[in-house]
Amino acid sequence: MTHGTMLEPGAGRPIVGGGLNATLKIAGGSDAITSTFEVIVPPGYDVGAHYHTHGEELFYVVSGQVELFAFEPAIRSKTHWSMWVSRDGRSPLHAGPGSLMHVPAGCPHAFRNTTDEPAVMLFQAAPAGHEDYFEELAKLMAGSRGQLDPDEVAKLRLRHDVHQITTLASPN
């Protein structure tokens, strides 16, 4: 007989460090093809524009406000990704509760919190295993004291099929 998973609020495996605050709700593996997280996005956090050659992601804003981006820009300029525009005129979305972003493999994307309040997002990654990236990133951020080494972040991301376009910014 197959059973699903039911979790009480707050349940799951915490992944925290250096401003990263996520709870792994469902780990990928034999029972799940995706990893599912609740992520608290602190003020000032910017994941940086990036893409995955094999991964697909889904972000759902539960509370707060974030800026979301998921398209190929007309020009990958040196300006911040929030200034990018697609060939068909799309620009990043100022997103509140109920907003959703689906990211297919190969699509540049990012999110950031420019407000003074934390935001909460439900996040799914397929294939499963993104929890390994989050755990390594949390350790790196915890040891950085707010000064992330861009080379270390780039190495970590490449190990996990995260191809960085712009820089990750942790909160001050």
Side-chain angles (χ1 to χ4, degrees), residues 45-58:
Y45 186 83
D46 181 345
V47 74
H50 62 281
Y51 66 93
H52 312 278
T53 56
H54 303 291
E56 180 175 326
E57 295 178 330
L58 183 84

Side-chain angles (χ1 to χ4, degrees), residues 120-146:
V120 178
M121 290 196 301
L122 179 72
F123 166 61
Q124 284 192 314
H130 209 65
E131 57 271 24
D132 299 333
Y133 168 70
F134 270 179
E135 287 174 341
E136 289 183 52
L137 179 60
K139 287 178 187 171
L140 188 64
M141 291 173 75
S144 73
R145 294 184 174 87

Side-chain angles (χ1 to χ4, degrees), residues 61-136:
V61 180
V62 176
S63 66
Q65 299 286 318
V66 292
E67 191 169 21
L68 303 173
F69 150 73
F71 55 80
E72 181 61 52
I75 300 171
R76 290 187 186 180
S77 66
K78 295 199 184 279
T79 60
H80 188 269
W81 60 262
S82 65
M83 304 300 291
W84 292 353
V85 177
S86 72
R87 284 187 173 84
D88 64 1
R90 284 180 287 157
S91 59
L93 174 67
H94 295 279
S99 299
L100 182 128
M101 177 171 72
H102 170 252
V103 183
C107 180
H109 61 284
F111 64 86
R112 70 179 180 154
N113 182 347
T114 60
T115 73
D116 294 332
E117 299 293 326
V120 178
M121 290 196 301
L122 179 72
F123 166 61
Q124 284 192 314
H130 209 65
E131 57 271 24
D132 299 333
Y133 168 70
F134 270 179
E135 287 174 341
E136 289 183 52

